[in-house]
Short mmCIF file of all heavy atoms in Angstrom, two decimals:
data_model
loop_
_atom_site.label_atom_id
_atom_site.label_comp_id
_atom_site.label_asym_id
_atom_site.label_seq_id
_atom_site.Cartn_x
_atom_site.Cartn_y
_atom_site.Cartn_z
N MET A 1 24.11 -10.82 6.07
CA MET A 1 23.60 -9.51 6.03
C MET A 1 23.15 -9.20 4.63
O MET A 1 23.70 -9.67 3.60
CB MET A 1 24.70 -8.50 6.34
CG MET A 1 25.16 -8.49 7.80
SD MET A 1 23.96 -7.82 8.95
CE MET A 1 24.20 -6.06 8.71
N ASP A 2 22.02 -8.44 4.50
CA ASP A 2 21.52 -7.95 3.16
C ASP A 2 22.37 -6.67 2.78
O ASP A 2 22.61 -5.83 3.59
CB ASP A 2 20.07 -7.54 3.36
CG ASP A 2 19.24 -7.76 2.09
OD1 ASP A 2 19.85 -7.76 1.02
OD2 ASP A 2 18.07 -7.91 2.17
N LEU A 3 22.76 -6.72 1.49
CA LEU A 3 23.75 -5.76 1.07
C LEU A 3 23.20 -5.22 -0.29
O LEU A 3 22.92 -6.02 -1.13
CB LEU A 3 25.11 -6.26 0.99
CG LEU A 3 26.21 -5.20 0.71
CD1 LEU A 3 26.37 -4.17 1.86
CD2 LEU A 3 27.52 -5.95 0.53
N VAL A 4 23.25 -3.90 -0.52
CA VAL A 4 22.91 -3.26 -1.79
C VAL A 4 24.02 -2.57 -2.22
O VAL A 4 24.48 -1.45 -1.68
CB VAL A 4 21.68 -2.32 -1.54
CG1 VAL A 4 21.20 -1.97 -2.95
CG2 VAL A 4 20.61 -2.86 -0.64
N VAL A 5 24.74 -3.04 -3.38
CA VAL A 5 25.86 -2.28 -3.88
C VAL A 5 25.75 -2.00 -5.35
O VAL A 5 26.65 -1.55 -6.07
CB VAL A 5 27.17 -3.08 -3.70
CG1 VAL A 5 27.57 -3.16 -2.24
CG2 VAL A 5 27.03 -4.59 -4.15
N ASN A 6 24.58 -2.21 -5.92
CA ASN A 6 24.29 -1.68 -7.30
C ASN A 6 24.01 -0.22 -7.23
O ASN A 6 24.32 0.63 -8.08
CB ASN A 6 23.00 -2.33 -7.98
CG ASN A 6 22.60 -1.69 -9.13
OD1 ASN A 6 23.22 -1.83 -10.23
ND2 ASN A 6 21.50 -0.87 -9.19
N HIS A 7 23.48 0.17 -6.03
CA HIS A 7 23.21 1.70 -5.86
C HIS A 7 23.42 2.03 -4.40
O HIS A 7 23.48 1.04 -3.56
CB HIS A 7 21.76 2.01 -6.29
CG HIS A 7 20.66 1.04 -5.80
ND1 HIS A 7 20.27 0.02 -6.55
CD2 HIS A 7 20.07 0.93 -4.63
CE1 HIS A 7 19.30 -0.71 -5.87
NE2 HIS A 7 19.19 -0.14 -4.71
N THR A 8 23.41 3.34 -4.06
CA THR A 8 23.42 3.79 -2.69
C THR A 8 22.21 4.73 -2.54
O THR A 8 21.37 4.97 -3.48
CB THR A 8 24.74 4.58 -2.35
OG1 THR A 8 24.68 5.80 -3.19
CG2 THR A 8 25.88 3.79 -2.81
N SER A 9 22.12 5.24 -1.43
CA SER A 9 21.19 6.45 -1.18
C SER A 9 21.83 7.77 -1.80
O SER A 9 23.03 7.83 -1.90
CB SER A 9 20.95 6.68 0.31
OG SER A 9 20.35 8.01 0.52
N ASP A 10 20.97 8.69 -2.20
CA ASP A 10 21.53 9.95 -2.68
C ASP A 10 22.05 10.84 -1.46
O ASP A 10 22.68 11.89 -1.65
CB ASP A 10 20.49 10.77 -3.47
CG ASP A 10 19.24 11.22 -2.70
OD1 ASP A 10 19.11 10.67 -1.49
OD2 ASP A 10 18.45 12.02 -3.15
N GLU A 11 21.83 10.30 -0.31
CA GLU A 11 22.45 10.96 0.99
C GLU A 11 23.77 10.29 1.39
O GLU A 11 24.27 10.74 2.42
CB GLU A 11 21.35 10.90 2.12
CG GLU A 11 20.14 11.59 1.69
CD GLU A 11 19.11 11.73 2.85
OE1 GLU A 11 19.52 11.61 4.00
OE2 GLU A 11 17.91 11.86 2.56
N HIS A 12 24.26 9.37 0.65
CA HIS A 12 25.53 8.75 0.94
C HIS A 12 26.59 9.77 0.65
O HIS A 12 26.49 10.66 -0.22
CB HIS A 12 25.86 7.49 0.07
CG HIS A 12 26.94 6.67 0.55
ND1 HIS A 12 28.24 7.05 0.40
CD2 HIS A 12 26.95 5.48 1.08
CE1 HIS A 12 28.99 6.17 0.94
NE2 HIS A 12 28.18 5.02 1.36
N GLU A 13 27.65 9.70 1.56
CA GLU A 13 28.72 10.76 1.26
C GLU A 13 29.27 10.63 -0.10
O GLU A 13 29.73 11.73 -0.67
CB GLU A 13 29.82 10.45 2.30
CG GLU A 13 31.07 11.46 2.17
CD GLU A 13 32.29 11.10 3.14
OE1 GLU A 13 32.10 10.00 3.66
OE2 GLU A 13 33.20 11.79 3.08
N TRP A 14 29.42 9.49 -0.68
CA TRP A 14 29.95 9.44 -2.08
C TRP A 14 29.14 10.15 -3.06
O TRP A 14 29.66 10.91 -3.93
CB TRP A 14 30.03 7.91 -2.48
CG TRP A 14 30.86 7.00 -1.75
CD1 TRP A 14 31.79 7.31 -0.82
CD2 TRP A 14 30.75 5.57 -1.72
NE1 TRP A 14 32.30 6.22 -0.27
CE2 TRP A 14 31.75 5.12 -0.81
CE3 TRP A 14 30.04 4.63 -2.43
CZ2 TRP A 14 32.03 3.69 -0.61
CZ3 TRP A 14 30.21 3.30 -2.19
CH2 TRP A 14 31.21 2.87 -1.31
N PHE A 15 27.74 10.13 -2.88
CA PHE A 15 27.00 10.81 -3.82
C PHE A 15 27.00 12.32 -3.61
O PHE A 15 27.01 13.12 -4.63
CB PHE A 15 25.58 10.34 -3.81
CG PHE A 15 24.64 10.86 -4.96
CD1 PHE A 15 24.79 10.34 -6.27
CD2 PHE A 15 23.76 11.89 -4.68
CE1 PHE A 15 24.02 10.83 -7.29
CE2 PHE A 15 23.00 12.44 -5.70
CZ PHE A 15 23.05 11.92 -6.99
N ARG A 16 27.02 12.75 -2.33
CA ARG A 16 27.03 14.17 -2.06
C ARG A 16 28.36 14.73 -2.54
O ARG A 16 28.32 15.92 -3.16
CB ARG A 16 26.95 14.39 -0.49
CG ARG A 16 25.68 13.94 0.13
CD ARG A 16 25.47 14.72 1.42
NE ARG A 16 26.52 14.42 2.44
CZ ARG A 16 26.63 13.43 3.17
NH1 ARG A 16 25.51 12.58 3.32
NH2 ARG A 16 27.68 13.33 4.06
N ARG A 17 29.40 14.08 -2.48
CA ARG A 17 30.71 14.52 -2.99
C ARG A 17 30.78 14.51 -4.53
O ARG A 17 31.36 15.37 -5.13
CB ARG A 17 31.95 13.83 -2.38
CG ARG A 17 31.98 14.01 -0.89
CD ARG A 17 33.05 13.35 -0.16
NE ARG A 17 34.33 13.78 -0.46
CZ ARG A 17 35.43 13.46 0.17
NH1 ARG A 17 35.41 12.61 1.14
NH2 ARG A 17 36.61 14.05 -0.13
N SER A 18 30.08 13.52 -5.10
CA SER A 18 30.09 13.43 -6.63
C SER A 18 29.27 14.54 -7.18
O SER A 18 29.66 15.10 -8.18
CB SER A 18 29.51 12.06 -6.93
OG SER A 18 29.57 11.84 -8.36
N ARG A 19 28.13 14.77 -6.63
CA ARG A 19 27.22 15.88 -7.14
C ARG A 19 27.85 17.16 -6.94
O ARG A 19 27.59 18.15 -7.65
CB ARG A 19 25.86 15.84 -6.55
CG ARG A 19 25.79 16.26 -5.21
CD ARG A 19 24.44 16.36 -4.52
NE ARG A 19 23.18 16.07 -5.21
CZ ARG A 19 22.04 15.56 -4.53
NH1 ARG A 19 22.14 15.35 -3.28
NH2 ARG A 19 21.07 15.31 -5.25
N GLY A 20 28.71 17.30 -5.93
CA GLY A 20 29.35 18.63 -5.56
C GLY A 20 30.59 18.88 -6.40
O GLY A 20 31.25 19.93 -6.23
N GLY A 21 31.06 17.94 -7.27
CA GLY A 21 32.12 18.20 -8.16
C GLY A 21 33.48 17.81 -7.65
O GLY A 21 34.50 18.14 -8.15
N ASP A 22 33.44 17.09 -6.49
CA ASP A 22 34.73 16.57 -5.91
C ASP A 22 35.39 15.65 -6.92
O ASP A 22 34.83 14.58 -7.34
CB ASP A 22 34.41 15.79 -4.63
CG ASP A 22 35.73 15.42 -3.89
OD1 ASP A 22 36.70 14.96 -4.52
OD2 ASP A 22 35.67 15.45 -2.63
N ALA A 23 36.58 15.94 -7.39
CA ALA A 23 37.27 15.21 -8.46
C ALA A 23 37.46 13.75 -8.11
O ALA A 23 37.38 12.89 -8.98
CB ALA A 23 38.66 15.85 -8.79
N GLU A 24 37.68 13.46 -6.84
CA GLU A 24 37.92 12.10 -6.38
C GLU A 24 36.69 11.27 -6.61
O GLU A 24 36.81 10.04 -6.81
CB GLU A 24 38.37 12.05 -5.01
CG GLU A 24 38.68 10.70 -4.46
CD GLU A 24 39.20 10.68 -2.96
OE1 GLU A 24 39.40 11.76 -2.42
OE2 GLU A 24 39.31 9.62 -2.47
N TYR A 25 35.49 11.84 -6.54
CA TYR A 25 34.27 11.03 -6.55
C TYR A 25 33.43 11.37 -7.90
O TYR A 25 32.29 10.85 -7.89
CB TYR A 25 33.38 11.36 -5.32
CG TYR A 25 34.05 10.89 -3.99
CD1 TYR A 25 34.99 11.66 -3.36
CD2 TYR A 25 33.74 9.68 -3.59
CE1 TYR A 25 35.54 11.16 -2.15
CE2 TYR A 25 34.36 9.17 -2.30
CZ TYR A 25 35.21 9.97 -1.66
OH TYR A 25 35.85 9.47 -0.51
N GLU A 26 33.96 12.04 -8.79
CA GLU A 26 33.20 12.53 -9.90
C GLU A 26 32.65 11.39 -10.69
O GLU A 26 31.50 11.44 -11.22
CB GLU A 26 34.14 13.35 -10.80
CG GLU A 26 33.40 13.84 -12.04
CD GLU A 26 34.38 14.77 -12.91
OE1 GLU A 26 35.58 14.76 -12.50
OE2 GLU A 26 33.88 15.38 -13.82
N ASP A 27 33.33 10.27 -10.77
CA ASP A 27 32.87 9.13 -11.60
C ASP A 27 32.42 7.98 -10.75
O ASP A 27 32.42 6.80 -11.18
CB ASP A 27 33.97 8.67 -12.51
CG ASP A 27 34.30 9.68 -13.54
OD1 ASP A 27 33.48 10.45 -14.02
OD2 ASP A 27 35.45 9.81 -14.01
N TYR A 28 31.99 8.22 -9.49
CA TYR A 28 31.51 7.15 -8.67
C TYR A 28 29.97 6.74 -9.00
O TYR A 28 29.49 5.66 -8.75
CB TYR A 28 31.31 7.55 -7.18
CG TYR A 28 32.60 7.23 -6.42
CD1 TYR A 28 33.88 7.44 -6.87
CD2 TYR A 28 32.50 6.53 -5.13
CE1 TYR A 28 35.06 7.02 -6.11
CE2 TYR A 28 33.62 6.16 -4.42
CZ TYR A 28 34.86 6.52 -4.85
OH TYR A 28 35.96 6.07 -4.12
N TYR A 29 29.42 7.57 -9.85
CA TYR A 29 28.00 7.31 -10.34
C TYR A 29 27.90 7.62 -11.82
O TYR A 29 28.87 8.18 -12.39
CB TYR A 29 27.06 8.24 -9.58
CG TYR A 29 27.03 7.86 -8.04
CD1 TYR A 29 27.98 8.56 -7.21
CD2 TYR A 29 26.09 6.99 -7.50
CE1 TYR A 29 27.86 8.23 -5.84
CE2 TYR A 29 26.05 6.72 -6.19
CZ TYR A 29 27.01 7.28 -5.34
OH TYR A 29 27.09 6.96 -4.06
N TYR A 30 26.78 7.32 -12.46
CA TYR A 30 26.55 7.58 -13.87
C TYR A 30 25.94 9.01 -14.02
O TYR A 30 24.84 9.27 -13.71
CB TYR A 30 25.59 6.64 -14.44
CG TYR A 30 26.29 5.26 -14.58
CD1 TYR A 30 26.07 4.30 -13.58
CD2 TYR A 30 26.95 4.89 -15.63
CE1 TYR A 30 26.65 2.96 -13.65
CE2 TYR A 30 27.50 3.55 -15.86
CZ TYR A 30 27.32 2.64 -14.82
OH TYR A 30 27.92 1.43 -15.00
N TRP A 31 26.77 10.02 -14.51
CA TRP A 31 26.35 11.29 -14.81
C TRP A 31 26.33 11.52 -16.28
O TRP A 31 27.26 11.15 -16.94
CB TRP A 31 27.22 12.30 -14.06
CG TRP A 31 27.18 12.38 -12.62
CD1 TRP A 31 28.08 11.65 -11.76
CD2 TRP A 31 26.19 12.97 -11.81
NE1 TRP A 31 27.71 11.87 -10.47
CE2 TRP A 31 26.56 12.66 -10.39
CE3 TRP A 31 25.09 13.69 -12.09
CZ2 TRP A 31 25.80 13.16 -9.28
CZ3 TRP A 31 24.34 14.17 -10.94
CH2 TRP A 31 24.72 13.93 -9.60
N ARG A 32 25.31 12.16 -16.79
CA ARG A 32 25.31 12.53 -18.20
C ARG A 32 24.58 13.90 -18.43
O ARG A 32 23.70 14.23 -17.74
CB ARG A 32 24.52 11.51 -19.05
CG ARG A 32 25.13 10.13 -19.07
CD ARG A 32 26.50 10.12 -19.83
NE ARG A 32 27.04 8.78 -20.01
CZ ARG A 32 27.84 8.14 -19.03
NH1 ARG A 32 28.15 8.83 -17.93
NH2 ARG A 32 28.31 6.93 -19.28
N GLU A 33 25.13 14.56 -19.42
CA GLU A 33 24.51 15.85 -19.84
C GLU A 33 23.07 15.49 -20.59
O GLU A 33 23.05 14.41 -21.11
CB GLU A 33 25.35 16.68 -20.78
CG GLU A 33 26.55 17.19 -20.02
CD GLU A 33 27.55 18.04 -20.95
OE1 GLU A 33 27.15 18.03 -22.12
OE2 GLU A 33 28.42 18.60 -20.38
N GLY A 34 22.21 16.41 -20.66
CA GLY A 34 20.93 16.14 -21.40
C GLY A 34 20.25 17.42 -21.61
O GLY A 34 19.23 17.73 -20.88
N ASP A 35 20.63 18.14 -22.54
CA ASP A 35 20.04 19.43 -22.83
C ASP A 35 18.56 19.29 -23.25
O ASP A 35 17.69 20.17 -23.07
CB ASP A 35 20.78 20.18 -23.94
CG ASP A 35 22.20 20.48 -23.48
OD1 ASP A 35 22.37 20.69 -22.28
OD2 ASP A 35 23.14 20.70 -24.38
N ASP A 36 18.27 18.16 -23.85
CA ASP A 36 16.98 17.92 -24.49
C ASP A 36 16.16 16.85 -23.61
O ASP A 36 15.11 16.28 -24.07
CB ASP A 36 17.07 17.49 -25.88
CG ASP A 36 17.60 18.52 -26.84
OD1 ASP A 36 17.39 19.72 -26.58
OD2 ASP A 36 18.44 18.05 -27.75
N GLY A 37 16.64 16.64 -22.47
CA GLY A 37 15.93 15.67 -21.63
C GLY A 37 16.83 14.54 -21.28
O GLY A 37 18.08 14.65 -21.34
N PRO A 38 16.26 13.43 -20.68
CA PRO A 38 17.14 12.32 -20.16
C PRO A 38 18.03 11.79 -21.19
O PRO A 38 17.70 11.81 -22.43
CB PRO A 38 16.10 11.27 -19.76
CG PRO A 38 14.91 12.05 -19.40
CD PRO A 38 14.86 13.24 -20.35
N PRO A 39 19.23 11.26 -20.92
CA PRO A 39 20.26 10.84 -21.81
C PRO A 39 19.85 9.67 -22.64
O PRO A 39 20.38 9.46 -23.72
CB PRO A 39 21.50 10.54 -21.01
CG PRO A 39 21.23 11.35 -19.73
CD PRO A 39 19.80 11.37 -19.51
N ASN A 40 18.92 8.80 -22.22
CA ASN A 40 18.34 7.79 -22.93
C ASN A 40 16.94 7.40 -22.52
O ASN A 40 16.46 8.05 -21.72
CB ASN A 40 19.30 6.45 -22.84
CG ASN A 40 19.38 5.79 -21.55
OD1 ASN A 40 18.55 5.93 -20.76
ND2 ASN A 40 20.56 5.20 -21.26
N ASN A 41 16.40 6.37 -23.07
CA ASN A 41 14.95 6.12 -22.77
C ASN A 41 14.73 5.05 -21.72
O ASN A 41 13.73 4.44 -21.69
CB ASN A 41 14.19 5.61 -24.15
CG ASN A 41 14.79 4.28 -24.68
OD1 ASN A 41 15.80 3.86 -24.26
ND2 ASN A 41 14.01 3.76 -25.59
N TRP A 42 15.76 4.64 -20.93
CA TRP A 42 15.63 3.64 -19.98
C TRP A 42 14.56 4.03 -18.93
O TRP A 42 14.40 5.15 -18.50
CB TRP A 42 16.97 3.45 -19.21
CG TRP A 42 17.98 2.82 -20.04
CD1 TRP A 42 17.96 2.60 -21.46
CD2 TRP A 42 19.42 2.54 -19.68
NE1 TRP A 42 19.11 2.07 -21.82
CE2 TRP A 42 20.02 2.06 -20.82
CE3 TRP A 42 20.09 2.65 -18.51
CZ2 TRP A 42 21.37 1.59 -20.85
CZ3 TRP A 42 21.36 2.22 -18.45
CH2 TRP A 42 22.01 1.74 -19.57
#
């Protein structure tokens, strides 16, 4: 089977709960503040 585990869809339950502030999933993805734009130049 082909498997993608570097990333998921933004519609995955993990991401939905992470963006919603669920403490259990808060750090499942890379989140950063950025008052002046993206956190880095990648």
Side-chain angles (χ1 to χ4, degrees):
M1 294 286 282
D2 210 333
L3 187 65
V4 191
V5 290
N6 173 71
H7 49 267
T8 68
S9 166
D10 65 346
E11 297 183 25
H12 195 290
E13 180 187 7
W14 298 345
F15 189 78
R16 292 201 305 267
R17 296 178 72 168
S18 185
R19 74 174 1 151
D22 187 322
E24 184 179 352
Y25 293 88
E26 183 176 7
D27 293 327
Y28 266 50
Y29 298 85
Y30 290 93
W31 294 98
R32 295 291 186 274
E33 296 179 352
D35 295 336
D36 299 321
N40 65 29
N41 66 347
W42 293 1

